[in-house]
Amino acid sequence: MDDPASFDRFAAAYDRFVSLQPGQNTQWVIGLGLHGERALDAGCGPGHATQRLAGQFDHVVGVDLSEPMIEIARRTRSRPNLEYRTADVFTIDDHGFDLVYSHTMMHHLPDYRAGLEHLKSLVRPGGTVAVVDNVCDWTPTPPRYIYLLGAWLGFPRQLRRLGLRDAWFEFRFWHSKPWLDHLASDRYLSRAQFREVYDEVFPGAQYDDVGFALAMRWTCAGPEAR
């Protein structure tokens, strides 16, 4: 498992980094076109997706283990129908959510399958569980040079897209020791492993490949589906 405090060390920089990737944390789930009364964003970070979901649900709960991340979310992405909590996702015992959403959180958990089972327990019959998580088919933990090489190769494109100031910030973020240390602690499933474990927990799930990750959506048909 990742160090739970690792995001605390670069919360503000991470928030800016995500802000420079418009739609990466939100495009897929918003594109599902779901609406309802209650939604949960598990591992919400600084609240990018949580804020967007608040436009589609009456009440949205964003949960993250990092207090600095939650502080940023409350300060910059607050809405009347949003509630942010600093908590371990396993301690969430609210039930009956119309949507339970998680973006790139699952690989941080000490027990991947138990995390999926817990998310499943929180959705109401007729509701949806939607999960996006990183995958890598050739190694559970890509070496640091892969990220550094990607930053170098992508810099000209990002320079054209973002301009010098933001492109240089992003480039330096990819090279920062706290971020690289965090990435070195990640453990990703392969695409085949992802489908295997999700099919076991969510029979009949549907999948989308979003490049760096797989996205899964599953609708709870009723108590018997649990």
Side-chain angles (χ1 to χ4, degrees):
M1 179 188 180
D2 297 352
D3 175 3
S6 65
F7 276 102
D8 295 0
R9 292 191 282 269
F10 50 80
Y14 179 78
D15 178 46
R16 182 178 174 187
F17 174 71
V18 173
S19 297
L20 297 176
Q21 326 298 323
Q24 179 172 294
N25 285 23
T26 61
Q27 185 174 6
W28 177 78
V29 69
I30 297 301
L32 297 179
L34 301 172
H35 295 80
E37 294 182 6
R38 302 175 68 232
L40 172 69
D41 185 2
C44 67
H48 290 267
T50 326
Q51 183 184 46
R52 291 288 305 278
L53 289 171
Q56 299 184 192
F57 291 85
D58 296 336
H59 183 74
V60 181
V61 179
V63 176
D64 202 277
L65 199 60
S66 170
E67 178 63 32
M69 290 286 194
I70 291 295
E71 289 175 356
I72 291 171
R74 287 173 176 155
R75 185 174 66 252
T76 62
R77 297 177 185 90
S78 179
R79 292 179 61 162
N81 62 331
L82 276 181
E83 174 189 354
Y84 290 109
R85 305 179 192 172
T86 304
D88 187 319
V89 67
F90 285 106
T91 68
I92 302 302
D93 57 4
D94 304 34
H95 296 279
F97 286 101
D98 297 283
L99 170 67
V100 174
Y101 174 59
S102 171
H103 185 278
T104 62
M105 177 198 72
M106 292 305 306
H107 63 272
H108 298 305
L109 299 183
D111 188 329
Y112 200 113
R113 177 165 181 147
L116 293 178
E117 295 281 8
H118 185 63
L119 294 184
K120 183 179 181 180
S121 75
L122 302 177
V123 71
R124 69 165 180 81
T128 299
V129 179
V131 179
V132 179
D133 202 34
N134 303 63
V135 291
C136 186
D137 289 331
W138 59 282
T139 179
T141 305
R144 296 182 185 219
Y145 78 83
I146 293 295
Y147 299 108
L148 298 177
L149 180 61
W152 277 98
L153 294 177
F155 183 71
R157 179 182 67 253
Q158 296 300 77
L159 184 61
R160 292 190 297 270
R161 185 175 74 86
L162 299 172
L164 178 59
R165 181 178 180 181
D166 285 338
W168 181 240
F169 165 81
E170 184 186 73
F171 182 82
R172 289 187 296 111
F173 183 79
W174 277 112
H175 285 73
S176 65
K177 186 177 185 301
W179 181 236
L180 288 171
D181 287 347
H182 169 79
L183 293 173
S185 70
D186 283 350
R187 299 291 183 273
Y188 304 143
L189 300 178
S190 68
R191 283 171 170 78
Q193 291 170 330
F194 185 103
R195 287 177 177 269
E196 180 179 1
V197 68
Y198 280 75
D199 280 345
E200 291 175 355
V201 179
F202 301 104
Q206 296 177 284
Y207 300 93
D208 294 301
D209 194 319
V210 294
F212 69 96
L214 282 181
M216 184 281 311
R217 60 192 186 278
W218 175 83
T219 300
C220 178
E224 69 279 0
R226 298 180 184 277

